[in-house]
Amino acid sequence: MYRSNIASRAARWSARHRRAAILGWIAFVVLSLAIGSAIGTQNIADEDAGNGDSRTAERILADAGFPDDASEQAFIQARGDLRAGDPEFQAAIRDVESRLAHVPHVAELESPLAAGNADQISADRSSALITFEIRGDDEQALERVDAAEAAVAEAQDANPELRIEQFGDASLEKAASASLDEDFQRAEFLSLPITLLILVVAFGALVAAGVPLLLGITAVMATLGLLGPVSQLFPVDEAVSSVILLVGLAVGVDYSLFYLRRERAERRRGHSNERALEIAAATSGRAVLVSGLTVMIAMAGMFLTGNATFMSFAVGTIMVVAVAVLGSLTVLPAVLSKLGDRVEKGRIPFLHRLRRNDGESRVWNAILDRVLRRPLVSAVAAAGLLVALAIPALHMETKVPGSDGLPQDLPIVQTYDRIQAEFPGSPLPAVVVVESDDATGPQVAAAVRELRSQAIDTGLMNDPVNVTYNDRGDVGVVTIPMVGSGTDDRSIEALTTLREDLIPGTLGQVGGVDAYVTGATAGSEDFNEQMSSTAPIVFAFVLGLAFVLLMATFRSIVIALKAIVLNLLSVGAAYGVLVWVFQDGNLESLLGFESNGGIVSWLPLFLFVLLFGLSMDYHVFILSRIREAFDGGMSTGDAVTHGIKSTAGVVTSAAVVMIAVFSVFATLGALDFKQMGVGLAVAVLIDATIVRAVLLPATMKLLGDANWYLPSWLGWLPRVSNEPEPEGAGA
């Protein structure tokens, strides 16, 4: 008999009270959306998003009372032989200034023609910068920047002999947000029909294909609604909704596939609808529960990073997985009970004929037969291939992308590149925040002057060095342009020199003064340092808890340890492919990107927890079927053959859905999301083929009964596997 468990009891209740279960789920989703819409989502404050000294600096700035204005620049460059001293060039500068001066909310306009502003003209005098501020907070600046951009565009039309463009905080944010919004809309638009198409091919029937998709969509919707009240306690990153969509659709579809395929298989064996549902709940339902717990454990590892963005990702992903598991154990059995054999309605005749009646895959059967005939050769070959794929990861370099992470065909990015070429370091300077009881006092002022002098002398930093103070006079801000792109080796060298040599030797010598460096380069380096210090803790937490859960689930140390090793091989191979493609610059034209020589800093750790969690879905599902067969009296070899052959079809279908959804993200223009899409798609492909179809069965065949080894002193662990129903019972 299949032992009763939480999943089977939940399914039994839902099948008997299906009206209440279905209407309850609909009410849950609608109520969640209504609450979320009414409360709204609280995003992480800018000053709380970073790490280390740069976060300290941003928090000081946030409390210092500085005007929350957006810094902008109008860039004027000769197209021919004109130079800044020529009347036509100077007339164009005055034209831009005049137009900007009449734009509401534009202030602090600094002309390159004014005395003392010679540093706003390039060394070869072919370019000039007009700097100004747009009053207002971030949201107001985004609304008000349009008028300034329109004025600059009018000046460009009036002066065609010059290039006149705008770049700054608000204009960059506006262009980047518009590009990302367009990308995400395309991703969301493509994800759902692609998923439905794959499910139609997998099931050969429209109704059966629609059930997993509906569960995934409603799980995502409910989670996005619940995120509102939760975010009031734990503010979230703006990107968390995209992560919830990505994870929620993947696990929601996976869990439905596991459940629905098993229920259909039991119906083909002759069981009644009710009995088939009970068996599916006791087996696949239990696998869903264990898989969900494993995924949530993996996601919880992000809480240990100490980074607000990662912690918000942990909140969002744990919530959507929990909601998907809840739906799989409650509303899914109710829907299947209601539909009965009508779940096969809307059959696609041609597709339906391609499916085997026993649910097994001819292709994977042929592969598995060969793997099990030569398990040692298969295991060595598969492991060797994964190690070879992982080798490039040994020289992985991480960085937080600046403008190089945006689509390079964006006009604003091209403007940035031109400004950077003429005024190195100007768009992304280091920002030194000086805190003292009297930041304007003579000792601090003298130290700031010495800091500027020494910074220029290093050759790693440039003029103009600007100094401003808040109204209270207790915080000063020193902006220092640095050489390099902001994330390359020269910029990092400049930052290190500033932090470790220049500041300690100048401001550090004045009593009662604290100085911290922020800015794009500092934020990137502080994030990298934070990830380096916390990654071992996250890895140990995820691997340790997953080991304990798997050992308890399958009552085997060997199974748990092997699951960890196989998943690490998958992740390592995915890392290696990422480095080979994006860091080494291969397949640039195919994937539509330009390599910046590194991997996005947040990606390796995020990929680890996400891939480890998602790949365990397959592992738990397959091993549950193998353990079920073994407990039913089969030998280990026969149980492995039966378990993998009977699950190959559903694992392949689930993997194809994930690969398709992740591949959509690989088409986005932003480099970080492109890397995430490729990394996830490649990892799932590797995991569902080389690992699950070759390495797992080969190693289990080699180990034989040793797979189920559990020391006697652990015999107290609860038995959570299910013995199969005697043939024909309950039919």
Side-chain angles (χ1 to χ4, degrees), residues 597-672:
I599 303 300
V600 179
S601 296
W602 57 266
L603 192 57
L605 191 60
F606 179 74
L607 279 182
F608 166 72
V609 296
L610 189 58
L611 293 176
F612 187 87
L614 295 180
S615 66
M616 290 307 291
D617 277 351
Y618 306 146
H619 207 79
V620 169
F621 182 62
I622 294 170
L623 287 175
S624 295
R625 202 64 179 269
I626 293 173
R627 181 77 206 207
E628 179 187 335
F630 179 78
D631 287 343
M634 286 188 183
S635 66
T636 297
D638 290 341
V640 169
T641 302
H642 169 76
I644 294 182
K645 284 185 176 181
S646 61
T647 58
V650 66
V651 167
T652 301
S653 300
V656 171
V657 169
M658 280 197 187
I659 292 168
V661 172
F662 297 152
S663 295
V664 170
F665 278 78
T667 68
L668 303 189
L671 187 61
D672 47 0

Side-chain angles (χ1 to χ4, degrees), residues 195-205 208-209 257 261 351-352 355 649-650 652-654 656-657:
T195 301
L196 180 60
L197 178 62
I198 294 168
L199 291 173
V200 168
V201 173
F203 286 105
L257 277 170
R261 276 292 185 89
L351 292 176
H352 216 276
R355 297 170 55 215
V650 66
T652 301
S653 300
V656 171
V657 169

Side-chain angles (χ1 to χ4, degrees), residues 239-252 254-255 291-303 305 310 312-321 538-539 541-543 546 567-568 570-572 574-575 578 602-619 658-659 661-663 665 672-673 675-685 687 692:
V240 73
S241 58
S242 299
V243 175
I244 287 173
L245 172 65
L246 192 75
V247 175
L249 199 58
V251 298
D254 271 8
Y255 297 160
S291 295
L293 289 173
T294 309
V295 174
M296 286 187 277
I297 286 172
M299 301 307 174
M302 289 188 282
F303 283 122
T305 61
F310 269 119
S312 73
F313 286 174
V315 170
T317 51
I318 289 173
M319 285 175 60
V320 77
V321 173
V538 175
F539 273 64
F541 172 84
V542 173
L543 297 178
N567 277 282
L568 287 177
S570 292
V571 173
Y575 282 175
L578 268 180
W602 57 266
L603 192 57
L605 191 60
F606 179 74
L607 279 182
F608 166 72
V609 296
L610 189 58
L611 293 176
F612 187 87
L614 295 180
S615 66
M616 290 307 291
D617 277 351
Y618 306 146
H619 207 79
M658 280 197 187
I659 292 168
V661 172
F662 297 152
S663 295
F665 278 78
D672 47 0
F673 287 105
Q675 290 186 4
M676 182 184 74
V678 170
L680 288 170
V682 167
V684 172
L685 177 63
D687 194 75
R692 307 302 160 203

